[in-house]
Every structure is written in structure tokens, then in C-alpha cells.
Amino acid sequence: MIKVGKRQTLVINNMVSIGAYLDAGTDNPKDNILLPINELEGKDLDVGDEVDVLIYKDSEDRFTATFRVTAALVGTLAKLEVVDINPTLGAFLNWGLNKDVLLPISQQNIEVEKGEKYLVGLYEDSKGRVSATMKVYNFLLPCKDYQKNDFITGTVYNINPEIGVFVAVDDRYFGMIPNNECFKTFFVGEEIQARVIRVREDGKLDLSPRAVAHEQMDADAQLILEKMNMLGDSFRFSDSSSPEDIKDFFDLSKKAFKRAAGNLLKKGLIEKTDKGFKVK
């Protein structure tokens, strides 16, 4: 059975002037697949030889074979570059063949830009063609490689304001930053580093962009001190500042802000005034 977008071993059925026809496994010679003549250059092949090839559909929707290695196969993920955009169809991505793969408009989470790379999964569409999607949830795998407090690298692939930020850990595993851990703005396609705060029974990872509390506190304190030095007398933040204002200005929760400010007070680096905290 022919598998579009995947590598498989086929047998050369006959040689012709335009290349070699590979046995498609049916009783109809018309189903055999062309391995074009340019693919045969420098190779000593003949009828009956087995070849490892990738099957795809060419610009005329004909099954075609190639020896070339692509950046991804059907069922897998890769970051692919947008090389062209058709406002009606979608974006065309370079995956390693002369014929680019289509990322349909319906499969885009955001408006893509030419020259940028995006994490996509490859699938076989209803017409038997290899296509790409940014909706990669179904391509991700449960993870057994990480434990609590390990740091990971991943790519943001979706954002749900009611749930959190969805991350493809190592571009292959399920990960999510819950809303209660989101104190900065993320965007789809962003590569991030985060800490594992929970490994679920199903292998999905809950993440936080922040280090463990005692390590993060020093970094937060340094950030607050830098902001205070920058604003001088204009600094107006205190224990009574709203969580929203703190989040907008510092990308911190109010709890983290108070913990870091308390650390600075304890060290004698700042003091409380009627208008807020102030550098000593």
C-alpha cells in the first residue's frame, strides 16, 4: 500500500526514458509510480532492484517518488520556512522538495509571514496530498524524559486565554503553562524555556516560565531594584499596588513582587515611604 509523505521500500517494475516505474502493489500497471530520470543520475539501478523512496504528489497531482530526504514526514513535526503566500489558498513551506508543501489558511493559528519559520505537523489531506497544519496537538506525544523542576525548551503553538499557553516541549511533547503561571505575554511560534512543575499521569507536562521560588526571588529582586533606579522618584509601587498593575509593569504576580520587595527590605537596599518603596 502506498503511503504518501512517508518513506517506503518499492521495487523497480520497468525502466523508461523518463525514469523508472515502481511497483505500487496493485495489478494495474497504470498505478505504478514514477521515479524521475534526474533521481537516477549516478545510481546503478535496474528492474527488480529495491529502492527506499518518499512518495508525494507532483504539481499535476501524480504520485511521484524521490530519494531526497525531507525535513519532516507525514505524522511528524518540524519548523518549516514560509517561502510564498497565496491569499486564497494559504502559505507554501519549504520541506526539502522542489514542490513546496501547503499550509492551508484553515490550518493556521495566526497569520504567517514570508521568510519566517513555524512549527507544523504534516498530514495527508482528503485528496491524498501532503499538507501542513499549525494545529499540532494531535502530533504531540506523552513525555517520560523530564521530571519536576527540570528545565525544558519548547515552542508556543496555541494560546487559550481561559486555560493557558500550550507548548510543544522539544517540539514533540505535550506541555502547558497554566493561567496561574502566566505573568508575561507569549505569542504563537515563540521559543521559550520553562520549568516542569508537574508531570501528569498521562505524560503531559505542566510548566512555569519561572525558577523555583528561592532562586527566582533573587532575580525578581534585581528586576525591581533596576526599575526603581530607572524611575527614581517616579516609582510608585508598594504592597498596596494592584495585582494587575504589578503584572503589567513587572511581569510578576503580586505574591512574587511582595516576596522580592521583602527580600530587598531585609537586606536594607530599599525602604518604605508614604508613596511606595524607595532605594536607600
Short mmCIF file of all heavy atoms in Angstrom, two decimals, residues 60-106:
data_model
loop_
_atom_site.label_atom_id
_atom_site.label_comp_id
_atom_site.label_asym_id
_atom_site.label_seq_id
_atom_site.Cartn_x
_atom_site.Cartn_y
_atom_site.Cartn_z
N GLU A 60 1.00 18.21 -10.80
CA GLU A 60 -0.16 17.74 -11.57
C GLU A 60 -0.90 16.63 -10.83
O GLU A 60 -1.69 15.88 -11.42
CB GLU A 60 0.29 17.27 -12.96
CG GLU A 60 0.90 18.41 -13.80
CD GLU A 60 1.27 17.95 -15.21
OE1 GLU A 60 0.74 16.91 -15.65
OE2 GLU A 60 2.08 18.63 -15.84
N ASP A 61 -0.66 16.53 -9.54
CA ASP A 61 -1.32 15.55 -8.66
C ASP A 61 -1.05 14.11 -9.06
O ASP A 61 -1.89 13.22 -8.86
CB ASP A 61 -2.84 15.80 -8.62
CG ASP A 61 -3.23 16.67 -7.43
OD1 ASP A 61 -2.33 17.03 -6.64
OD2 ASP A 61 -4.41 17.00 -7.29
N ARG A 62 0.14 13.85 -9.58
CA ARG A 62 0.54 12.49 -9.91
C ARG A 62 1.48 11.98 -8.81
O ARG A 62 2.36 12.71 -8.36
CB ARG A 62 1.26 12.45 -11.26
CG ARG A 62 0.40 12.90 -12.43
CD ARG A 62 1.22 13.01 -13.69
NE ARG A 62 2.32 13.97 -13.55
CZ ARG A 62 3.03 14.44 -14.56
NH1 ARG A 62 2.79 14.02 -15.80
NH2 ARG A 62 4.01 15.31 -14.35
N PHE A 63 1.29 10.73 -8.41
CA PHE A 63 2.21 10.15 -7.44
C PHE A 63 3.61 10.10 -8.03
O PHE A 63 3.82 9.67 -9.17
CB PHE A 63 1.77 8.73 -7.06
CG PHE A 63 0.56 8.70 -6.17
CD1 PHE A 63 -0.62 8.12 -6.60
CD2 PHE A 63 0.62 9.23 -4.89
CE1 PHE A 63 -1.73 8.08 -5.78
CE2 PHE A 63 -0.49 9.21 -4.06
CZ PHE A 63 -1.67 8.62 -4.50
N THR A 64 4.58 10.57 -7.24
CA THR A 64 5.96 10.65 -7.68
C THR A 64 6.87 10.18 -6.55
O THR A 64 6.56 10.38 -5.37
CB THR A 64 6.32 12.10 -8.08
OG1 THR A 64 5.38 12.57 -9.05
CG2 THR A 64 7.73 12.18 -8.67
N ALA A 65 7.98 9.57 -6.92
CA ALA A 65 8.93 9.08 -5.93
C ALA A 65 10.21 9.91 -5.95
O ALA A 65 10.59 10.47 -6.99
CB ALA A 65 9.27 7.61 -6.19
N THR A 66 10.86 10.01 -4.81
CA THR A 66 12.13 10.73 -4.73
C THR A 66 13.03 10.09 -3.68
O THR A 66 12.56 9.52 -2.69
CB THR A 66 11.90 12.22 -4.37
OG1 THR A 66 13.18 12.88 -4.30
CG2 THR A 66 11.19 12.37 -3.05
N PHE A 67 14.35 10.21 -3.92
CA PHE A 67 15.34 9.76 -2.93
C PHE A 67 15.62 10.85 -1.89
O PHE A 67 16.25 10.59 -0.87
CB PHE A 67 16.66 9.40 -3.62
CG PHE A 67 16.62 8.13 -4.42
CD1 PHE A 67 16.87 8.14 -5.79
CD2 PHE A 67 16.33 6.91 -3.82
CE1 PHE A 67 16.84 6.96 -6.52
CE2 PHE A 67 16.31 5.73 -4.55
CZ PHE A 67 16.55 5.76 -5.91
N ARG A 68 15.17 12.06 -2.17
CA ARG A 68 15.51 13.18 -1.30
C ARG A 68 14.96 12.99 0.12
O ARG A 68 13.91 12.39 0.32
CB ARG A 68 14.97 14.48 -1.88
CG ARG A 68 15.61 14.86 -3.21
CD ARG A 68 15.12 16.20 -3.68
NE ARG A 68 15.64 16.52 -5.01
CZ ARG A 68 15.41 17.67 -5.63
NH1 ARG A 68 14.67 18.60 -5.06
NH2 ARG A 68 15.91 17.88 -6.83
N VAL A 69 15.68 13.54 1.08
CA VAL A 69 15.27 13.49 2.48
C VAL A 69 14.62 14.82 2.84
O VAL A 69 15.20 15.88 2.63
CB VAL A 69 16.48 13.22 3.41
CG1 VAL A 69 16.04 13.25 4.87
CG2 VAL A 69 17.12 11.88 3.07
N THR A 70 13.41 14.76 3.36
CA THR A 70 12.67 15.97 3.71
C THR A 70 12.86 16.30 5.19
O THR A 70 13.29 15.47 5.98
CB THR A 70 11.18 15.79 3.41
OG1 THR A 70 10.72 14.58 4.04
CG2 THR A 70 10.95 15.69 1.91
N ALA A 71 12.48 17.53 5.55
CA ALA A 71 12.61 17.98 6.93
C ALA A 71 11.63 17.27 7.85
O ALA A 71 11.84 17.22 9.07
CB ALA A 71 12.39 19.49 7.01
N ALA A 72 10.56 16.73 7.29
CA ALA A 72 9.57 16.01 8.09
C ALA A 72 8.83 15.03 7.19
O ALA A 72 8.89 15.13 5.95
CB ALA A 72 8.58 16.99 8.72
N LEU A 73 8.14 14.09 7.81
CA LEU A 73 7.30 13.13 7.12
C LEU A 73 5.88 13.26 7.63
O LEU A 73 5.64 13.89 8.68
CB LEU A 73 7.82 11.71 7.34
CG LEU A 73 9.25 11.41 6.87
CD1 LEU A 73 9.67 10.02 7.36
CD2 LEU A 73 9.37 11.51 5.36
N VAL A 74 4.94 12.70 6.93
CA VAL A 74 3.56 12.71 7.39
C VAL A 74 3.49 12.09 8.78
O VAL A 74 4.05 11.02 9.03
CB VAL A 74 2.64 11.96 6.41
CG1 VAL A 74 1.30 11.61 7.06
CG2 VAL A 74 2.41 12.80 5.16
N GLY A 75 2.83 12.79 9.70
CA GLY A 75 2.72 12.32 11.07
C GLY A 75 3.76 12.86 12.01
O GLY A 75 3.73 12.57 13.21
N THR A 76 4.69 13.69 11.48
CA THR A 76 5.75 14.25 12.32
C THR A 76 5.73 15.77 12.27
O THR A 76 5.03 16.38 11.46
CB THR A 76 7.14 13.75 11.89
OG1 THR A 76 7.45 14.26 10.58
CG2 THR A 76 7.18 12.23 11.87
N LEU A 77 6.52 16.38 13.15
CA LEU A 77 6.58 17.84 13.30
C LEU A 77 7.93 18.38 12.84
O LEU A 77 8.95 17.70 12.93
CB LEU A 77 6.38 18.23 14.76
CG LEU A 77 5.02 17.93 15.38
CD1 LEU A 77 5.11 18.02 16.90
CD2 LEU A 77 3.97 18.88 14.86
N ALA A 78 7.91 19.63 12.38
CA ALA A 78 9.16 20.32 12.03
C ALA A 78 8.88 21.81 11.95
O ALA A 78 7.73 22.24 11.75
CB ALA A 78 9.72 19.80 10.71
N LYS A 79 9.93 22.59 12.11
CA LYS A 79 9.82 24.03 11.86
C LYS A 79 10.19 24.28 10.40
O LYS A 79 11.32 24.03 9.99
CB LYS A 79 10.76 24.81 12.79
CG LYS A 79 10.27 24.90 14.22
CD LYS A 79 11.13 25.89 15.01
CE LYS A 79 10.55 26.11 16.41
NZ LYS A 79 10.85 25.00 17.30
N LEU A 80 9.23 24.77 9.62
CA LEU A 80 9.43 24.98 8.19
C LEU A 80 9.27 26.45 7.84
O LEU A 80 8.45 27.16 8.43
CB LEU A 80 8.43 24.14 7.38
CG LEU A 80 8.46 22.62 7.63
CD1 LEU A 80 7.43 21.93 6.74
CD2 LEU A 80 9.85 22.05 7.40
N GLU A 81 10.02 26.88 6.84
CA GLU A 81 10.02 28.28 6.44
C GLU A 81 8.96 28.57 5.39
O GLU A 81 8.77 27.80 4.44
CB GLU A 81 11.40 28.67 5.88
CG GLU A 81 11.49 30.13 5.46
CD GLU A 81 12.85 30.48 4.90
OE1 GLU A 81 13.79 29.67 5.04
OE2 GLU A 81 12.98 31.58 4.31
N VAL A 82 8.27 29.69 5.56
CA VAL A 82 7.30 30.15 4.56
C VAL A 82 8.06 30.76 3.39
O VAL A 82 8.82 31.71 3.56
CB VAL A 82 6.34 31.20 5.16
CG1 VAL A 82 5.40 31.74 4.07
CG2 VAL A 82 5.53 30.60 6.30
N VAL A 83 7.86 30.20 2.19
CA VAL A 83 8.57 30.70 1.01
C VAL A 83 7.64 31.47 0.08
O VAL A 83 8.09 32.20 -0.80
CB VAL A 83 9.25 29.56 0.24
CG1 VAL A 83 10.38 28.97 1.08
CG2 VAL A 83 8.26 28.47 -0.14
N ASP A 84 6.34 31.31 0.25
CA ASP A 84 5.38 32.04 -0.59
C ASP A 84 4.03 32.04 0.11
O ASP A 84 3.74 31.15 0.91
CB ASP A 84 5.27 31.41 -1.97
CG ASP A 84 4.64 32.35 -3.00
OD1 ASP A 84 4.48 33.55 -2.67
OD2 ASP A 84 4.30 31.89 -4.10
N ILE A 85 3.21 33.03 -0.20
CA ILE A 85 1.87 33.12 0.39
C ILE A 85 0.85 33.38 -0.71
O ILE A 85 1.03 34.29 -1.54
CB ILE A 85 1.80 34.25 1.45
CG1 ILE A 85 2.71 33.90 2.64
CG2 ILE A 85 0.36 34.45 1.91
CD1 ILE A 85 2.75 34.98 3.70
N ASN A 86 -0.18 32.58 -0.73
CA ASN A 86 -1.31 32.77 -1.63
C ASN A 86 -2.50 33.19 -0.78
O ASN A 86 -2.94 32.42 0.08
CB ASN A 86 -1.62 31.47 -2.39
CG ASN A 86 -2.76 31.62 -3.39
OD1 ASN A 86 -3.85 32.03 -3.03
ND2 ASN A 86 -2.49 31.27 -4.64
N PRO A 87 -3.02 34.39 -0.97
CA PRO A 87 -4.08 34.90 -0.09
C PRO A 87 -5.35 34.05 -0.11
O PRO A 87 -6.16 34.14 0.81
CB PRO A 87 -4.35 36.31 -0.62
CG PRO A 87 -3.81 36.31 -2.02
CD PRO A 87 -2.65 35.36 -2.01
N THR A 88 -5.51 33.24 -1.14
CA THR A 88 -6.70 32.40 -1.24
C THR A 88 -6.47 31.01 -0.65
O THR A 88 -7.32 30.47 0.06
CB THR A 88 -7.15 32.25 -2.70
OG1 THR A 88 -7.39 33.54 -3.25
CG2 THR A 88 -8.42 31.41 -2.80
N LEU A 89 -5.29 30.44 -0.94
CA LEU A 89 -5.01 29.06 -0.53
C LEU A 89 -4.34 28.96 0.83
O LEU A 89 -4.69 28.12 1.65
CB LEU A 89 -4.13 28.38 -1.58
CG LEU A 89 -4.71 28.26 -2.99
CD1 LEU A 89 -3.69 27.65 -3.93
CD2 LEU A 89 -5.99 27.44 -2.97
N GLY A 90 -3.33 29.77 1.04
CA GLY A 90 -2.55 29.69 2.27
C GLY A 90 -1.09 29.94 2.02
O GLY A 90 -0.71 30.64 1.06
N ALA A 91 -0.23 29.36 2.83
CA ALA A 91 1.22 29.58 2.73
C ALA A 91 1.91 28.32 2.23
O ALA A 91 1.48 27.20 2.53
CB ALA A 91 1.78 29.98 4.09
N PHE A 92 2.98 28.52 1.48
CA PHE A 92 3.76 27.39 0.98
C PHE A 92 5.07 27.32 1.78
O PHE A 92 5.76 28.33 1.94
CB PHE A 92 4.03 27.54 -0.51
CG PHE A 92 2.78 27.37 -1.35
CD1 PHE A 92 2.01 28.45 -1.70
CD2 PHE A 92 2.38 26.10 -1.74
CE1 PHE A 92 0.85 28.29 -2.44
CE2 PHE A 92 1.23 25.92 -2.50
CZ PHE A 92 0.46 27.01 -2.85
N LEU A 93 5.38 26.12 2.26
CA LEU A 93 6.52 25.90 3.13
C LEU A 93 7.55 25.03 2.44
O LEU A 93 7.23 24.08 1.72
CB LEU A 93 6.08 25.22 4.42
CG LEU A 93 4.84 25.79 5.14
CD1 LEU A 93 4.54 24.96 6.37
CD2 LEU A 93 5.05 27.25 5.50
N ASN A 94 8.82 25.34 2.69
CA ASN A 94 9.92 24.54 2.15
C ASN A 94 10.16 23.35 3.06
O ASN A 94 10.56 23.50 4.22
CB ASN A 94 11.17 25.40 2.04
CG ASN A 94 12.38 24.60 1.55
OD1 ASN A 94 12.24 23.49 1.02
ND2 ASN A 94 13.56 25.14 1.74
N TRP A 95 9.95 22.15 2.53
CA TRP A 95 10.19 20.95 3.33
C TRP A 95 11.27 20.06 2.72
O TRP A 95 11.51 18.96 3.19
CB TRP A 95 8.90 20.16 3.55
CG TRP A 95 8.28 19.52 2.34
CD1 TRP A 95 8.07 20.11 1.12
CD2 TRP A 95 7.79 18.19 2.22
NE1 TRP A 95 7.48 19.23 0.26
CE2 TRP A 95 7.28 18.04 0.91
CE3 TRP A 95 7.71 17.11 3.09
CZ2 TRP A 95 6.72 16.85 0.45
CZ3 TRP A 95 7.14 15.93 2.64
CH2 TRP A 95 6.65 15.80 1.34
N GLY A 96 11.94 20.58 1.67
CA GLY A 96 13.08 19.87 1.12
C GLY A 96 12.91 19.36 -0.29
O GLY A 96 13.85 18.82 -0.88
N LEU A 97 11.71 19.53 -0.89
CA LEU A 97 11.47 19.11 -2.26
C LEU A 97 11.24 20.33 -3.14
O LEU A 97 10.98 21.43 -2.65
CB LEU A 97 10.25 18.18 -2.34
CG LEU A 97 10.30 16.88 -1.56
CD1 LEU A 97 9.07 16.04 -1.86
CD2 LEU A 97 11.57 16.09 -1.85
N ASN A 98 11.30 20.12 -4.46
CA ASN A 98 11.03 21.22 -5.39
C ASN A 98 9.60 21.71 -5.24
O ASN A 98 9.31 22.90 -5.43
CB ASN A 98 11.28 20.78 -6.83
CG ASN A 98 12.75 20.56 -7.12
OD1 ASN A 98 13.61 21.18 -6.48
ND2 ASN A 98 13.07 19.68 -8.06
N LYS A 99 8.68 20.79 -4.95
CA LYS A 99 7.30 21.18 -4.71
C LYS A 99 7.12 21.47 -3.22
O LYS A 99 7.29 20.58 -2.38
CB LYS A 99 6.33 20.09 -5.14
CG LYS A 99 4.86 20.53 -4.99
CD LYS A 99 3.89 19.40 -5.24
CE LYS A 99 2.46 19.90 -5.05
NZ LYS A 99 1.47 18.82 -5.15
N ASP A 100 6.79 22.71 -2.90
CA ASP A 100 6.60 23.10 -1.51
C ASP A 100 5.30 22.51 -0.96
O ASP A 100 4.40 22.13 -1.71
CB ASP A 100 6.57 24.63 -1.38
CG ASP A 100 7.86 25.27 -1.87
OD1 ASP A 100 8.93 24.72 -1.53
OD2 ASP A 100 7.80 26.27 -2.60
N VAL A 101 5.20 22.44 0.36
CA VAL A 101 4.01 21.89 1.00
C VAL A 101 3.09 23.04 1.40
O VAL A 101 3.55 24.08 1.88
CB VAL A 101 4.39 21.01 2.21
CG1 VAL A 101 5.07 21.84 3.30
CG2 VAL A 101 3.17 20.30 2.76
N LEU A 102 1.80 22.84 1.22
CA LEU A 102 0.82 23.89 1.51
C LEU A 102 0.40 23.86 2.97
O LEU A 102 0.08 22.80 3.52
CB LEU A 102 -0.42 23.71 0.62
CG LEU A 102 -1.59 24.67 0.88
CD1 LEU A 102 -1.19 26.11 0.53
CD2 LEU A 102 -2.83 24.24 0.09
N LEU A 103 0.39 25.05 3.58
CA LEU A 103 -0.21 25.26 4.89
C LEU A 103 -1.51 26.01 4.64
O LEU A 103 -1.51 27.23 4.48
CB LEU A 103 0.72 26.07 5.79
CG LEU A 103 0.17 26.55 7.13
CD1 LEU A 103 -0.24 25.38 8.02
CD2 LEU A 103 1.18 27.45 7.85
N PRO A 104 -2.65 25.31 4.54
CA PRO A 104 -3.92 25.98 4.21
C PRO A 104 -4.29 27.05 5.23
O PRO A 104 -3.91 26.96 6.40
CB PRO A 104 -4.93 24.82 4.23
CG PRO A 104 -4.12 23.58 4.05
CD PRO A 104 -2.81 23.86 4.74
N ILE A 105 -5.03 28.03 4.79
CA ILE A 105 -5.47 29.10 5.69
C ILE A 105 -6.22 28.52 6.88
O ILE A 105 -6.06 28.97 8.02
CB ILE A 105 -6.35 30.11 4.92
CG1 ILE A 105 -5.50 30.86 3.88
CG2 ILE A 105 -7.01 31.09 5.88
CD1 ILE A 105 -6.30 31.79 3.00
N SER A 106 -7.03 27.49 6.62
CA SER A 106 -7.83 26.88 7.69
C SER A 106 -6.99 26.18 8.74
O SER A 106 -7.47 25.88 9.84
CB SER A 106 -8.83 25.88 7.09
OG SER A 106 -8.14 24.81 6.46
#
